[in-house]
Amino acid sequence: MYHVFERLDTSPGQEKAIRSALSELFGKLAELRPSVRTLRSEIARAMGSETFSPSEVQAAFEQRSGALGEAQGALTLALGKIHEALDPDQRKRLSQLLDGGPMAWCF
């Protein structure tokens, strides 16, 4: 995070708000980890079978739609808090980092 904070030229207060938002997000994602692991296993099973069944993969996602929705909600909430903590110029720089900068490999 130090590199991102340096690139955004954040204040200590902004850094605290961003760390708090990310901590909440990671906490929620940790709660959802078992469901995601099960999803991954089901997808692996579908890939390893003699014939591929798109409906089997779709069913696996549908069974976890609640958990995936919770993850989406937690991410949206964290992004909103981070957006609120930054000024317009910092938001623009963060947007550029996310879109094609050093963090592009994550997506």
Side-chain angles (χ1 to χ4, degrees):
M1 288 303 308
Y2 177 77
H3 175 71
V4 174
F5 290 153
E6 185 177 279
R7 293 280 306 265
L8 298 178
D9 192 27
T10 52
S11 70
Q14 289 174 312
E15 292 173 15
K16 182 178 179 181
I18 292 167
R19 281 191 180 100
S20 175
L22 291 175
S23 178
E24 291 172 16
L25 172 63
F26 295 147
K28 186 61 175 175
L29 294 178
E31 292 174 19
L32 302 173
R33 191 172 293 135
S35 184
V36 173
R37 283 186 181 142
T38 302
L39 173 62
R40 186 179 64 208
S41 294
E42 291 174 356
I43 291 171
R45 190 170 38 255
M47 290 302 295
S49 68
E50 193 63 34
T51 58
F52 181 74
S53 171
S55 61
E56 189 176 326
V57 174
Q58 182 64 34
F61 273 101
E62 287 174 2
Q63 289 173 345
R64 304 239 158 28
S65 63
L68 295 173
E70 287 182 49
Q72 179 182 357
L75 176 60
T76 301
L77 182 63
L79 291 173
K81 290 178 180 181
I82 292 167
H83 186 274
E84 185 178 311
L86 299 174
D87 67 35
D89 184 57
Q90 291 169 321
R91 290 181 199 130
K92 183 177 180 178
R93 283 185 271 158
L94 179 59
S95 172
Q96 291 168 342
L97 284 172
L98 290 170
D99 189 36
M103 294 173 39
W105 61 271
C106 295
F107 303 100

